[in-house]
Amino acid sequence: MAAYYVTTPIYYVNDAPHIGHAYTTTAGDVLTRWHRQRGEQVWYQTGVDEHGTKVQRAAEAAGVAPQDWCDRLVGESWQPVLNTIDAATDGFIRTTEERHRVGVQHFWQVVRDNGFVYQADYEGPYCVGCEEFKLPGDVITEEDGTVLCPVHGKPVEMLSEANWFFQLSAFTNALIEHYEQDPSAIEPVSAYNEVMSFLRAGLKDISMSRSSVTWGIGLPWDEKQVTYVWFDALLNYVTAVGYGAAPGSAAATEFDRVWPADVHLVGKDILRFHAVFWPAMLMAAGLPLPRKVFAHGWLLVGGEKMSKTRLTGISPELIVDHFGSDAFRYYFMRAINFGHDGSFSWEDMTARYNAELANGLGNLASRGTAMVQRYRDGALPVAGELTQAENDLVALLAVTVARADERMLALDFSAGIAAIREFVEVVNQYVTEQQPWVLAKDEADSLRLDTVLNTIIESLRAISVLYYPVMPKTMAALWEQLGAEQALGAIADQRIEHVGDWGQLPASTPVVKGEGLFPRLVDRDSDE
């Protein structure tokens, strides 16, 4: 069975990760967990880019060798952050790995053999921060003649090198035709329009090597040159899943199963590399193109893009230590419309945590499990005849599942989560209206109380499965409290298509009120 293959950008290790990196990784994790919940085979890939000028200079400034610099940062920061945000990745690749080097050299030899690489001189601006050869329209020229990178606000470097060039211009029409036939291959629409405008202006050949950089993968036909860092890094998407391995090997078989990628998740600032350079490279090598490149917006802090350079980078650990990993995941997928810029603030996250998680879902779970314990000795009662109130919830759940599934598959995480949250609110309203604490006072209402309690717990069963891709730790805990692990099996094995099947939890299932799902937050400045 072919795998649903999702990738994050390959992150640059010149510094430790900030929440902008964690944001992309969380989105990919939520997406792939959702697809797993649908019973699909999935491969979720991430990794780090360790070559290039920026890393070499950072290592030199620290007084260590580039490999030692990378080993420390990857081991102490980049791999641990996956655990911090509970990202269930299937693969992690480093561009210093031998499998990557072999794949990169094989790829470029194929492209050269196909006639798309030639030698020429390069002279022009280069931004080390972007690791990008800049076109005239990509830079800002100050009144004093200083040429700046608009992304980093720093002067570019003027290079003059004898390099090898990739014949990018040969693929202008082929790329235009490809995207016209399949507009969904680039999303959102704003990203598609940007790429098409760039393509219709005509592509120019680009240097695919560097002669003045030593930290990189050497060209197989020219030992004095290394592969331009982007033309090294982009290849991780194929080398990570077996490209370049010996024909007939297990790795080569895996490549045939996994490639092409279904979704490349990228920040909008690297859209051109992924939607223009990368597919052109694949065309030159005779490989299938990825099915979709999705460019999300920037995380803004104080109106600026998240950046270590501008001191607006915030570590994921700082937020997770206070709110917890599931609240981190929920907030960034819920509060920001994926594909658009979004602002982060501690105050907004606190407000949403309290309103939507602690007082919303957490309160519902706490009330529901506590009342089953109090009124039915912790055993789920059999529901009696359903009234209009219960039938409305059953019908709404079916709508919720369909809506959430549609939106999650479309990478509209905010709307998918909103659909689930609306169901939570309706169930909370149901509890308020049915007043089970009042029904418990009169033996004549015993059967009615059974029905109400059963309905609350069944609703929580469905909610826990729907929210599991977003908040895996907390929903697994809720699943245990509901007795669903024992009655229905692991929450990860529950399928989206069956979430709306009402009445899955059998009578007498043991329900336990555990610790609160979303505990009260202690103020950061408090001594408590």
Side-chain angles (χ1 to χ4, degrees), residues 87-152:
T89 55
D90 298 287
F92 185 95
I93 191 166
R94 301 175 60 180
T95 57
T96 52
E97 292 182 46
E98 179 65 9
R99 59 173 172 157
H100 182 69
R101 183 193 67 78
V102 169
V104 169
Q105 291 189 327
H106 174 74
F107 180 90
W108 282 109
Q109 188 63 60
V110 169
V111 174
R112 188 184 185 218
D113 291 346
N114 288 346
F116 296 110
V117 172
Y118 62 91
Q119 195 166 24
D121 293 333
Y122 173 81
E123 186 171 349
Y126 188 87
C127 174
V128 174
C130 296
E131 290 285 13
E132 181 180 6
F133 297 100
K134 294 291 186 180
L135 299 173
D138 294 334
V139 294
I140 299 171
T141 302
E142 302 279 79
E143 290 184 2
D144 63 359
T146 303
V147 181
L148 302 177
C149 167
V151 176
H152 294 90

Side-chain angles (χ1 to χ4, degrees), residues 30 33 326 329-330 333 408 417 466-472:
V30 171
R33 283 181 186 268
D326 280 347
R329 295 163 60 94
Y330 177 91
M333 295 299 97
M408 289 295 196
I417 292 171
L466 291 173
Y467 265 148
Y468 179 69
V470 182
M471 298 180 284

